[in-house]
Amino acid sequence: MNKLREVRDEKKLDNKGFSLVELIIVIAIMAVLIGVLAPQYLKYVEKSRVSADADQIDACISAVEIYSSDPEHSVVTGEMEIKSDGTLNFPAPDGPNIKTAIEDAGINTANVTVKSKTFTEGCIIKFTTEGVTVSNKNIAKALGRATPPTPPTP
């Protein structure tokens, strides 16, 4: 019994914990890992924001297209603007028709805001009888929509 007590007391004396150097090494390794992984994480977050914004705007565009295809309504033409603060604007004279078409689909235009850097560049989305065009190439690419043709240079 005495022998067991002696072994137990010896272990207590040998157990001194981590040294300061070991803790500094662990912290340095963690800092390097965070420095390498943080940019990748931020890219992933921005990519998901672009995807969410594209879904919201595409739902609005689809709502206008479906509204225009209904025989009860006339073809809706005009512009919808994505402002740099992330909100939607419907400039007159045809903007209210576009807003009505979107809200008839059950989308509250006051709740549609964009947060990604790509979409807060702002753009104009034009609805014509020929289709939908997007003025910003980056946003058009995210939406999978056409950009207006560039005029030929003289």
Side-chain angles (χ1 to χ4, degrees):
M1 196 71 145
N2 253 349
K3 189 74 168 166
L4 184 60
R5 184 173 289 164
E6 287 174 21
V7 169
R8 193 172 29 142
D9 290 341
E10 262 182 48
K11 277 190 175 182
K12 283 184 183 177
L13 294 176
D14 291 340
N15 189 5
K16 295 182 182 179
F18 296 109
S19 70
L20 182 60
V21 173
E22 290 170 330
L23 289 175
I24 290 173
I25 290 172
V26 169
I27 291 171
I29 290 171
M30 289 174 62
V32 167
L33 286 174
I34 289 171
V36 169
L37 297 178
Q40 297 301 321
Y41 175 74
L42 293 176
K43 285 180 190 175
Y44 175 75
V45 168
E46 182 61 21
K47 188 176 180 182
S48 67
R49 283 184 185 148
V50 168
S51 178
D53 291 348
D55 287 344
Q56 283 190 50
I57 300 301
D58 197 42
C60 292
I61 292 170
S62 295
V64 173
E65 290 174 333
I66 292 169
Y67 187 87
S68 292
S69 68
D70 188 354
E72 293 180 14
H73 305 102
S74 61
V75 175
V76 178
T77 59
E79 296 179 349
M80 177 176 75
E81 177 186 12
I82 301 173
K83 294 169 46 174
S84 59
D85 66 355
T87 59
L88 297 181
N89 184 32
F90 304 95
D94 297 321
N97 296 335
I98 295 170
K99 186 175 182 179
T100 301
I102 293 170
E103 289 178 346
D104 276 359
I107 300 170
N108 185 352
T109 56
N111 292 339
V112 177
T113 57
V114 294
K115 298 175 180 89
S116 66
K117 292 176 186 175
T118 299
F119 278 83
T120 53
E121 292 174 5
C123 81
I124 303 285
I125 299 172
K126 291 186 181 184
F127 298 92
T128 62
T129 54
E130 288 83 34
V132 178
T133 57
V134 181
S135 66
N136 185 311
K137 290 181 182 179
N138 293 333
I139 294 176
K141 182 178 176 185
L143 292 171
R145 300 280 178 163
T147 57
T150 54
T153 55

